[in-house]
Short mmCIF file of all heavy atoms in Angstrom, two decimals:
data_model
loop_
_atom_site.label_atom_id
_atom_site.label_comp_id
_atom_site.label_asym_id
_atom_site.label_seq_id
_atom_site.Cartn_x
_atom_site.Cartn_y
_atom_site.Cartn_z
N GLY A 234 127.18 66.76 141.01
CA GLY A 234 127.06 66.64 142.44
C GLY A 234 127.60 65.35 143.01
O GLY A 234 127.58 65.12 144.23
N GLY A 235 128.13 64.46 142.16
CA GLY A 235 128.66 63.18 142.61
C GLY A 235 130.08 63.27 143.12
O GLY A 235 130.77 64.29 142.96
N ALA A 236 130.55 62.20 143.75
CA ALA A 236 131.91 62.15 144.24
C ALA A 236 132.90 62.03 143.07
O ALA A 236 132.54 61.57 141.98
CB ALA A 236 132.08 60.96 145.18
N TRP A 237 134.17 62.43 143.32
CA TRP A 237 135.16 62.46 142.24
C TRP A 237 135.40 61.08 141.65
O TRP A 237 135.55 60.94 140.43
CB TRP A 237 136.47 63.04 142.77
CG TRP A 237 137.51 63.19 141.71
CD1 TRP A 237 138.66 62.47 141.59
CD2 TRP A 237 137.49 64.12 140.61
NE1 TRP A 237 139.38 62.90 140.48
CE2 TRP A 237 138.67 63.90 139.86
CE3 TRP A 237 136.58 65.09 140.18
CZ2 TRP A 237 138.97 64.62 138.71
CZ3 TRP A 237 136.90 65.82 139.05
CH2 TRP A 237 138.07 65.59 138.33
N PHE A 238 135.43 60.06 142.47
CA PHE A 238 135.67 58.70 141.96
C PHE A 238 134.36 57.92 141.83
O PHE A 238 134.38 56.69 141.85
CB PHE A 238 136.67 57.96 142.85
CG PHE A 238 138.08 58.48 142.70
CD1 PHE A 238 138.71 59.11 143.73
CD2 PHE A 238 138.73 58.34 141.48
CE1 PHE A 238 140.00 59.60 143.58
CE2 PHE A 238 140.03 58.81 141.33
CZ PHE A 238 140.67 59.45 142.36
N GLU A 239 133.28 58.62 141.60
CA GLU A 239 131.99 57.98 141.31
C GLU A 239 131.65 58.27 139.85
O GLU A 239 131.61 59.44 139.44
CB GLU A 239 130.90 58.54 142.23
CG GLU A 239 129.52 57.97 141.97
CD GLU A 239 128.47 58.60 142.86
OE1 GLU A 239 128.82 59.19 143.91
OE2 GLU A 239 127.27 58.51 142.50
N HIS A 240 131.42 57.24 139.07
CA HIS A 240 131.22 57.39 137.63
C HIS A 240 129.86 56.77 137.27
O HIS A 240 129.68 55.57 137.26
CB HIS A 240 132.35 56.71 136.86
CG HIS A 240 133.70 57.20 137.28
ND1 HIS A 240 134.29 58.31 136.77
CD2 HIS A 240 134.54 56.74 138.24
CE1 HIS A 240 135.46 58.51 137.34
NE2 HIS A 240 135.64 57.57 138.26
N ALA A 241 128.90 57.65 136.95
CA ALA A 241 127.51 57.23 136.80
C ALA A 241 127.23 56.64 135.44
O ALA A 241 126.36 55.75 135.29
CB ALA A 241 126.58 58.41 137.05
N ILE A 242 127.92 57.10 134.41
CA ILE A 242 127.69 56.63 133.04
C ILE A 242 129.03 56.39 132.37
O ILE A 242 130.08 56.78 132.89
CB ILE A 242 126.84 57.63 132.21
CG1 ILE A 242 127.60 58.95 132.03
CG2 ILE A 242 125.48 57.86 132.84
CD1 ILE A 242 126.93 59.93 131.09
N ILE A 243 128.98 55.75 131.21
CA ILE A 243 130.20 55.56 130.43
C ILE A 243 130.51 56.86 129.69
O ILE A 243 129.73 57.32 128.88
CB ILE A 243 130.06 54.39 129.43
CG1 ILE A 243 129.85 53.09 130.20
CG2 ILE A 243 131.28 54.30 128.52
CD1 ILE A 243 129.51 51.92 129.31
N GLY A 244 131.64 57.46 130.01
CA GLY A 244 132.03 58.70 129.38
C GLY A 244 133.43 58.64 128.83
O GLY A 244 133.95 57.55 128.52
N THR A 245 134.06 59.77 128.71
CA THR A 245 135.42 59.83 128.21
C THR A 245 136.06 61.05 128.83
O THR A 245 135.42 61.81 129.59
CB THR A 245 135.46 59.93 126.68
OG1 THR A 245 136.82 59.84 126.22
CG2 THR A 245 134.87 61.24 126.17
N ASN A 246 137.34 61.29 128.55
CA ASN A 246 138.01 62.50 129.03
C ASN A 246 138.11 63.45 127.84
O ASN A 246 138.94 63.29 126.96
CB ASN A 246 139.39 62.18 129.57
CG ASN A 246 140.12 63.44 130.07
OD1 ASN A 246 139.59 64.54 129.95
ND2 ASN A 246 141.28 63.27 130.62
N ALA A 247 137.22 64.43 127.81
CA ALA A 247 137.23 65.42 126.72
C ALA A 247 137.20 66.83 127.28
O ALA A 247 136.65 67.74 126.68
CB ALA A 247 136.02 65.20 125.80
N ARG A 248 137.83 67.02 128.44
CA ARG A 248 137.80 68.30 129.12
C ARG A 248 138.72 69.32 128.45
O ARG A 248 139.81 68.99 127.99
CB ARG A 248 138.20 68.14 130.57
CG ARG A 248 137.24 67.29 131.41
CD ARG A 248 137.73 67.18 132.84
NE ARG A 248 139.02 66.52 132.91
CZ ARG A 248 139.21 65.31 133.40
NH1 ARG A 248 138.19 64.59 133.83
NH2 ARG A 248 140.44 64.80 133.44
N MET A 249 138.29 70.58 128.46
CA MET A 249 139.11 71.70 127.99
C MET A 249 140.07 72.10 129.12
O MET A 249 139.74 72.03 130.28
CB MET A 249 138.22 72.87 127.61
CG MET A 249 138.97 74.13 127.20
SD MET A 249 137.87 75.43 126.60
CE MET A 249 137.50 74.83 124.96
N THR A 250 141.28 72.52 128.73
CA THR A 250 142.26 72.99 129.72
C THR A 250 142.08 74.46 130.01
O THR A 250 141.44 75.21 129.27
CB THR A 250 143.70 72.75 129.23
OG1 THR A 250 143.97 73.69 128.16
CG2 THR A 250 143.89 71.33 128.74
N GLU A 251 142.71 74.89 131.11
CA GLU A 251 142.69 76.31 131.47
C GLU A 251 143.46 77.15 130.45
O GLU A 251 143.15 78.32 130.24
CB GLU A 251 143.30 76.50 132.86
CG GLU A 251 142.42 75.98 133.98
CD GLU A 251 141.25 76.90 134.27
OE1 GLU A 251 141.40 77.87 135.02
OE2 GLU A 251 140.15 76.61 133.72
N PHE A 252 144.47 76.56 129.78
CA PHE A 252 145.21 77.30 128.76
C PHE A 252 144.29 77.64 127.58
O PHE A 252 144.29 78.78 127.08
CB PHE A 252 146.41 76.49 128.26
CG PHE A 252 147.53 76.38 129.24
CD1 PHE A 252 147.74 75.22 129.94
CD2 PHE A 252 148.40 77.46 129.43
CE1 PHE A 252 148.78 75.13 130.85
CE2 PHE A 252 149.45 77.38 130.33
CZ PHE A 252 149.66 76.21 131.04
N GLN A 253 143.53 76.65 127.11
CA GLN A 253 142.60 76.92 126.01
C GLN A 253 141.57 77.97 126.40
O GLN A 253 141.26 78.89 125.64
CB GLN A 253 141.90 75.64 125.62
CG GLN A 253 142.79 74.61 124.93
CD GLN A 253 142.11 73.27 124.82
OE1 GLN A 253 141.83 72.62 125.84
NE2 GLN A 253 141.82 72.84 123.61
N ALA A 254 141.05 77.84 127.63
CA ALA A 254 140.02 78.79 128.08
C ALA A 254 140.59 80.20 128.20
O ALA A 254 139.90 81.18 127.92
CB ALA A 254 139.43 78.32 129.41
N ALA A 255 141.86 80.30 128.64
CA ALA A 255 142.48 81.61 128.75
C ALA A 255 142.53 82.31 127.39
O ALA A 255 142.23 83.51 127.23
CB ALA A 255 143.88 81.48 129.33
N LEU A 256 142.92 81.51 126.36
CA LEU A 256 142.93 82.08 125.00
C LEU A 256 141.54 82.50 124.57
O LEU A 256 141.34 83.61 124.01
CB LEU A 256 143.49 81.06 124.03
CG LEU A 256 145.00 80.84 124.02
CD1 LEU A 256 145.35 79.65 123.14
CD2 LEU A 256 145.72 82.08 123.53
N LEU A 257 140.56 81.64 124.79
CA LEU A 257 139.20 81.92 124.35
C LEU A 257 138.61 83.12 125.09
O LEU A 257 137.88 83.95 124.46
CB LEU A 257 138.31 80.69 124.55
CG LEU A 257 138.61 79.54 123.60
CD1 LEU A 257 137.87 78.28 124.05
CD2 LEU A 257 138.23 79.91 122.17
N ASN A 258 138.88 83.26 126.37
CA ASN A 258 138.36 84.43 127.10
C ASN A 258 138.91 85.72 126.51
O ASN A 258 138.17 86.72 126.40
CB ASN A 258 138.72 84.32 128.58
CG ASN A 258 137.91 83.28 129.31
OD1 ASN A 258 136.74 83.05 128.98
ND2 ASN A 258 138.50 82.61 130.30
N ALA A 259 140.20 85.71 126.13
CA ALA A 259 140.77 86.90 125.51
C ALA A 259 140.19 87.14 124.12
O ALA A 259 139.84 88.25 123.73
CB ALA A 259 142.29 86.77 125.44
N GLN A 260 140.10 86.06 123.32
CA GLN A 260 139.57 86.19 121.96
C GLN A 260 138.11 86.64 121.97
O GLN A 260 137.69 87.41 121.10
CB GLN A 260 139.66 84.83 121.25
CG GLN A 260 141.07 84.32 120.99
CD GLN A 260 141.65 84.86 119.68
OE1 GLN A 260 141.07 84.69 118.64
NE2 GLN A 260 142.78 85.52 119.76
N LEU A 261 137.34 86.19 122.96
CA LEU A 261 135.94 86.53 123.01
C LEU A 261 135.71 88.03 123.22
O LEU A 261 134.69 88.58 122.75
CB LEU A 261 135.24 85.73 124.11
CG LEU A 261 133.73 85.83 124.23
CD1 LEU A 261 133.05 85.42 122.91
CD2 LEU A 261 133.21 84.96 125.36
N THR A 262 136.65 88.70 123.86
CA THR A 262 136.49 90.14 124.06
C THR A 262 136.50 90.91 122.74
O THR A 262 136.00 92.05 122.67
CB THR A 262 137.59 90.71 124.99
OG1 THR A 262 138.88 90.55 124.35
CG2 THR A 262 137.59 90.01 126.33
N ARG A 263 137.07 90.32 121.69
CA ARG A 263 137.15 91.00 120.38
C ARG A 263 136.07 90.53 119.42
O ARG A 263 135.90 91.11 118.34
CB ARG A 263 138.52 90.70 119.72
CG ARG A 263 139.72 91.11 120.55
CD ARG A 263 140.99 90.95 119.70
NE ARG A 263 142.18 91.14 120.50
CZ ARG A 263 142.86 90.14 121.05
NH1 ARG A 263 142.50 88.88 120.82
NH2 ARG A 263 143.93 90.39 121.77
N LEU A 264 135.37 89.45 119.75
CA LEU A 264 134.52 88.82 118.75
C LEU A 264 133.38 89.70 118.27
O LEU A 264 133.05 89.72 117.10
CB LEU A 264 133.98 87.49 119.30
CG LEU A 264 133.20 86.64 118.30
CD1 LEU A 264 134.01 86.31 117.06
CD2 LEU A 264 132.72 85.36 118.98
N GLU A 265 132.76 90.44 119.18
CA GLU A 265 131.65 91.30 118.78
C GLU A 265 132.09 92.32 117.72
O GLU A 265 131.47 92.45 116.67
CB GLU A 265 131.10 92.03 120.00
CG GLU A 265 129.97 93.00 119.73
CD GLU A 265 128.64 92.32 119.45
OE1 GLU A 265 128.39 91.25 120.03
OE2 GLU A 265 127.85 92.87 118.66
N GLU A 266 133.19 93.02 118.03
CA GLU A 266 133.66 94.04 117.07
C GLU A 266 134.14 93.42 115.78
O GLU A 266 133.86 93.94 114.69
CB GLU A 266 134.78 94.83 117.75
CG GLU A 266 135.21 96.08 116.97
CD GLU A 266 136.33 95.80 115.96
OE1 GLU A 266 137.06 94.81 116.17
OE2 GLU A 266 136.45 96.55 114.98
#
Side-chain angles (χ1 to χ4, degrees):
W237 184 249
F238 288 114
E239 179 183 340
H240 306 274
I242 64 173
I243 297 173
T245 187
N246 180 356
R248 295 180 299 251
M249 177 175 282
T250 71
E251 289 285 276
F252 287 104
Q253 291 168 295
L256 284 172
L257 289 169
N258 287 327
Q260 294 273 304
L261 187 56
T262 63
R263 304 188 188 96
L264 186 57
E265 178 76 32
E266 189 270 337

